[in-house]
Amino acid sequence: MKERLQKLISRSGLMSRRRAEEKIRQGLVRVDGRVAQLGESADPAQAEIRVDGDLLRFATATLTLMLNKPTGYICSMDDPNGRRLVIDLLPAELGRLYPVGRLDYNTEGLLLLTNDGALAQHLTHPSHHVSKTYLVKVRGLLNDQGRKKMESGIKLEDGVTAPARVSAVRRSGQNCWFELTLREGRNRQVRRMCEAVGLPVVRLKRIALGGLRLEDLKSGTYRALDDDELADLKKKAGL
Ligand code: URA
């Protein structure tokens, strides 16, 4: 995939984007032997890019990390409306990482990002049923009837939901908190399930995915998964 040269150079870890722009202006960057111009893009998989004569290299190792996504960020790689992107919370040196699945703009919590295409594909494939647990705050109280509906399946416009698990229900004034564990990942599923039982969601946070838990990872920060976590995740994803 083509990317602006200055972005590619900073992503390789060689230098900052600003410094890379200077190098391009100074005529010190070459693409396939030709002096590059500022504003030019190249595909690092196809082109030979040299800075000061040195060949640009990219780490080939795979990397998977968990981010505690704050609200007010989207999970796309770009946004025509200029909203903030989760990938902008990561330093350029980590290279291009892709969000695994999506959390809504107003949802916070555990989001995986990876450059391991096979893992991302398996984790998001509906047949693998990796569980996801959400901490949900709703306006109103979740009664037995609502709870049973969520646990047995709710008819939404795209079909009946698979049985979910509801736990840790507690009341807080006119609101209610609970944990909801799903084994599927449809668009805005938690919000739609809650709306279907008359409870608008006021806060939504994903706190677990597979065997991974967010624990005390601070909002807006990330950490790489360790080898055991990765092995367990791959197993659960059917890899
Ligand atoms: N369900 C939702 O409604 N929103 C999310 O972001 C994730 C699950």
Side-chain angles (χ1 to χ4, degrees), residues 11 73 85 102 110 116 153 159 179 187 217:
R11 186 155 78 68
Y73 284 79
L85 313 175
R102 301 219 161 173
L110 199 166
D116 182 339
E179 290 183 17
N187 190 29
L217 188 65

Side-chain angles (χ1 to χ4, degrees), residues 69 102-108 132 134 182 184-193 201 204 206:
K69 175 193 176 295
R102 301 219 161 173
L103 290 177
D104 300 335
Y105 182 72
N106 284 323
T107 302
E108 53 194 308
K132 296 164 195 102
Y134 297 87
L182 307 180
E184 47 183 0
R186 304 192 210 168
N187 190 29
R188 298 186 69 255
Q189 184 166 351
V190 176
R191 294 176 197 276
R192 290 190 293 138
M193 285 172 73
V201 169
L204 184 56
R206 184 153 70 194

